[in-house]
Amino acid sequence: MEECLGWAARDVSGVLSPYKFSRRVLGCDDVSLKITHCGVCYADILWTRNIHGDSKYPVVPGHEIVGIVKEVGSNVHRFKIGDHVGVGTYVNSCKDCEYCNDRLEIFCLKRAISTFNAVDVDGTITKGGYSSYTIVHERYCYVIPDNYPLALAAPLLCAGITVYSPMMRHKMNQPGKYLGVIGLGGLGHMAVKFGKAFGLNVTVFSTSISKKEEALNLLGADRFVISSDQQQMEALAKSLDFIVDTASGDHPFDPYLSLLKTAGIFVLVGAPSEIKISPLSLLISKRTISGSATGGTKETQEMLDFCATHKIYPEIETIPIQYANEALERLINRDVKYRFVIDIENSLK
């Protein structure tokens, strides 16, 4: 068995350092891929630092994985050696419940098995993309179109699909409609990009005036609003068809709900510690509030193809694996525009 080189956290400090381990033997339905890049997600912080109390050390984080196929099992027909391939936030599921049958495996009734820090069907603990290679069942691998740069594809596998999935489910791909995006980080900047690709009029809401120029000029938003400015907020009352809320810090909800038109839809993809809303914010104007996780295998592949066709690219900062600890600290401090991507291929030695 080939030794796998990774970076792992050993305890709740979350400090990452080099770590050698073994992957499972290639099965008949498996794809083995040499990892070239891995995106850095807030989930990497949550589980390297045991924020949820269920970390299984040593933790090798990373669930925005891209690379090149180096071996395939005998039953694999979608991939061949040399293909560009991606792996997202989960690597297994029951394959038999109603959600798996609908290719919405993230909602598997027996629970989708996360790409890292989860117990796989063979009893081993899954280890993520801060590593030299991985072996994944073909079903949970994605074709990265040949014309799409691998480094830029990585953030699509969590940040991208997390906003694309609910935007499609709630039919936000209707040109001329009005979208609000709360928060302008890894998820928020992708929501803006998808919104513009769908032909929407996009308003960005942020607490930081420093993000105004990039929101309008780099990402192409139509308006930028400081959410603490009551006058700016009131001027937009009942003007939006949709809102995608990517903010994970605690924030009020009623001021944003008041900006939705009758039957407007508010989607939460961030994770604040609590949600407080007045029932009247929903009742009076027939509004909907909805949550969403990442997405199923079918819609994830659709999103990757859509991004390649429409030349939608995340804004990234490429880093070596040796910078991972600093990157996680900067992510906590929201000091990244807009996603770190680790260059595994050229730095993990």
Side-chain angles (χ1 to χ4, degrees):
M1 290 176 65
E2 181 189 347
E3 191 171 59
C4 191
L5 179 60
W7 275 49
R10 276 35 176 230
D11 55 44
V12 295
S13 71
V15 174
L16 298 161
S17 58
Y19 170 65
K20 292 178 180 175
F21 63 100
S22 297
R23 295 284 188 188
R24 71 168 184 256
V25 175
L26 185 82
C28 59
D29 297 310
D30 287 339
V31 173
S32 175
L33 60 136
K34 172 192 172 188
I35 297 172
T36 60
H37 299 84
C38 185
V40 177
C41 177
Y42 203 84
D44 303 345
I45 294 166
L46 296 177
W47 278 282
T48 55
R49 302 190 181 199
N50 200 29
I51 302 300
H52 292 310
D54 62 351
S55 296
K56 301 166 182 65
Y57 294 105
V59 173
V60 178
H63 63 199
E64 295 181 337
I65 302 167
V66 293
I68 298 168
V69 176
K70 60 178 192 163
E71 195 177 355
V72 296
S74 57
N75 291 344
V76 173
H77 302 295
R78 282 175 58 228
F79 297 95
K80 64 183 186 302
I81 293 170
D83 283 354
H84 291 181
V85 61
V87 177
T89 61
Y90 54 93
V91 292
N92 220 330
S93 64
C94 81
K95 308 179 187 70
D96 197 38
C97 69
E98 59 179 298
Y99 299 105
C100 286
N101 287 334
D102 284 342
R103 309 299 288 197
L104 292 168
E105 298 91 339
I106 186 65
F107 304 111
C108 174
L109 289 175
K110 293 183 181 175
R111 195 166 184 178
I113 293 172
S114 298
T115 302
F116 69 92
N117 195 61
V119 181
D120 209 342
V121 289
D122 61 0
T124 59
I125 306 301
T126 56
K127 291 178 167 57
Y130 290 30
S131 59
S132 56
Y133 82 100
T134 190
I135 293 174
V136 179
H137 189 289
E138 174 188 29
R139 178 176 180 141
Y140 310 96
C141 295
Y142 305 103
V143 175
I144 306 295
D146 287 337
N147 63 340
Y148 204 97
L150 285 172
L152 296 175
L156 299 178
L157 295 160
C158 177
I161 188 59
T162 296
V163 293
Y164 180 88
S165 174
M167 291 177 83
M168 293 300 288
R169 186 170 85 248
H170 295 292
K171 298 181 173 58
M172 297 188 195
N173 57 339
Q174 301 178 59
K177 297 274 190 177
Y178 286 79
L179 168 70
V181 176
I182 303 172
L184 200 59
L187 275 64
H189 95 287
M190 288 307 303
V192 174
K193 285 175 179 273
F194 285 133
K196 293 309 298 178
F198 293 150
L200 302 178
N201 185 295
V202 180
T203 299
V204 170
F205 297 91
S206 177
T207 55
S208 173
I209 188 68
S210 66
K211 294 190 175 180
K212 179 175 182 177
E213 187 179 339
E214 286 197 346
L216 297 174
N217 298 328
L218 175 67
L219 303 177
D222 299 280
R223 277 184 297 193
F224 182 90
V225 171
I226 294 294
S227 51
S228 57
D229 186 325
Q230 197 172 346
Q231 204 169 0
Q232 285 188 53
M233 293 288 281
E234 287 175 354
L236 293 179
K238 295 189 175 180
S239 67
L240 303 176
D241 299 285
F242 315 107
I243 293 176
V244 175
D245 184 355
T246 71
S248 285
D250 287 338
H251 56 284
F253 286 80
D254 288 320
Y256 293 109
L257 288 168
S258 71
L259 307 184
L260 286 170
K261 297 177 182 178
T262 298
I265 295 168
F266 184 104
V267 173
L268 179 66
V269 292
S273 64
E274 64 176 3
I275 299 173
K276 282 186 177 177
I277 56 172
S278 163
L280 293 179
S281 293
L282 300 180
L283 300 178
I284 288 177
S285 293
K286 202 171 66 169
R287 298 176 178 122
T288 297
I289 185 166
S290 169
S292 192
T294 55
T297 55
K298 183 173 181 283
E299 60 190 341
T300 301
Q301 187 63 61
E302 286 173 359
M303 174 209 60
L304 289 164
D305 296 339
F306 181 83
C307 287
T309 299
H310 295 274
K311 295 182 167 52
I312 299 167
Y313 304 114
E315 304 296 327
I316 68 169
E317 180 178 336
T318 308
I319 60 168
I321 187 76
Q322 293 77 13
Y323 189 73
N325 289 304
E326 289 86 347
L328 292 173
E329 287 296 330
R330 282 180 56 193
L331 181 56
I332 290 169
N333 295 321
R334 300 176 188 172
D335 176 24
V336 54
K337 291 179 179 176
Y338 284 84
R339 202 71 158 181
F340 289 117
V341 174
I342 302 170
D343 183 352
I344 298 288
E345 183 177 32
N346 292 309
S347 65
L348 181 59
K349 308 293 182 188

